[in-house]
Amino acid sequence: GSKSVPVLAMNDYDLESGEPSVWRETKKFAPPPRKKKERKSFINQDFCQFCGDGGGLILCPLCPISVHEKCCGLSANHFQKCSHHYCSVCEKSPSAAGGLVYPCQSCPSAYCEDCLPKEGVRFLGNSIPRLERLGFHSRSHFLYIHCSKHCENVAKLEFGWEEPSKERTSIDPIDVSFAFGENALSIKEIAERKHK
């Protein structure tokens, strides 16, 4: 029996009946409940990102961009997302493009880092005031641009975009002379000075 064979006793089975089923002892766990996808909390723009006209628009479910069927070349039944969600040149998604796509604020183009135009690009950051007014807060995989001077002019005329001021703000100088040169304080002296 299993009493005389220590390995069998330790594993709780004998040679005649074999190993007990582990299936009975495992507890079945229900998968964690899926979080419901939040409904979009933004309003889509009331003009086509391609031509600028209104009318019957297809609304992007992922961002506020809207387009006409004839302008994007897709029917509403086949439209899943606007062209700001992949590179317009090589069609890479943000994840395939290193996690970042550069959509133009003024036109339907978006670029991966490899396909960005070499000249005339202005980087705007990941928040665009006109899109924020529609309730859209950009995702981390967007870095908005003006892809050309023409698009920058469109942004100025149509969206009221203003070029950031080139005036530099001055910062008050900080005296760190105590940490450098012949009369530099030791780390202990600096710590003591800080606690005084």
Side-chain angles (χ1 to χ4, degrees):
S2 65
K3 303 281 186 241
S4 60
V5 182
V7 172
L8 296 177
M10 186 171 70
N11 288 323
D12 191 29
Y13 66 91
D14 59 34
L15 293 173
E16 289 79 34
S17 59
E19 196 171 5
S21 173
V22 188
W23 179 255
R24 285 187 306 253
E25 297 171 22
T26 58
K27 295 180 181 176
K28 295 181 182 176
F29 292 102
R34 284 188 163 175
K35 291 182 180 178
K36 291 182 180 178
K37 286 187 177 180
E38 290 183 29
R39 294 207 177 263
K40 69 179 191 176
S41 58
F42 54 84
I43 301 165
N44 285 78
Q45 63 192 23
D46 59 357
F47 60 90
C48 175
Q49 189 74 11
F50 284 83
C51 70
D53 291 337
L57 297 167
I58 303 173
L59 310 179
C60 180
L62 304 177
C63 72
I65 302 302
S66 302
V67 295
H68 290 120
E69 280 186 13
K70 65 179 175 28
C71 293
C72 74
L74 294 172
S75 70
N77 295 337
H78 294 99
F79 184 86
Q80 294 180 357
K81 58 187 172 189
C82 74
S83 58
H84 275 186
H85 299 280
Y86 57 88
C87 178
S88 306
V89 178
C90 68
E91 298 186 354
K92 287 181 186 172
S93 67
S95 58
L100 194 60
V101 172
Y102 300 86
C104 180
Q105 173 186 206
S106 303
C107 76
S109 298
Y111 302 92
C112 68
E113 189 171 357
D114 295 332
C115 298
L116 266 172
K118 302 298 180 220
E119 294 178 10
V121 175
R122 180 185 296 271
F123 295 92
L124 304 174
N126 63 355
S127 62
I128 298 295
R130 79 175 183 90
L131 299 179
E132 286 181 344
R133 285 191 294 274
L134 295 172
F136 182 72
H137 302 287
S138 178
R139 298 181 171 73
S140 59
H141 59 265
F142 281 177
L143 185 61
Y144 286 94
I145 61 171
H146 290 150
C147 66
S148 66
K149 277 289 187 198
H150 173 77
C151 285
E152 189 161 293
N153 288 334
V154 168
K156 287 176 183 176
L157 295 171
E158 298 294 328
F159 311 136
W161 181 81
E162 293 180 358
E163 200 167 330
S165 170
K166 293 183 182 180
E167 186 178 306
R168 292 185 160 220
T169 57
S170 63
I171 300 172
D172 293 334
I174 302 171
D175 181 18
V176 292
S177 61
F178 63 87
F180 299 96
E182 291 178 15
N183 299 326
L185 301 175
S186 69
I187 293 175
K188 185 177 178 181
E189 292 170 323
I190 293 172
E192 289 171 358
R193 185 176 179 183
K194 184 177 181 181
H195 292 299
K196 286 184 181 180

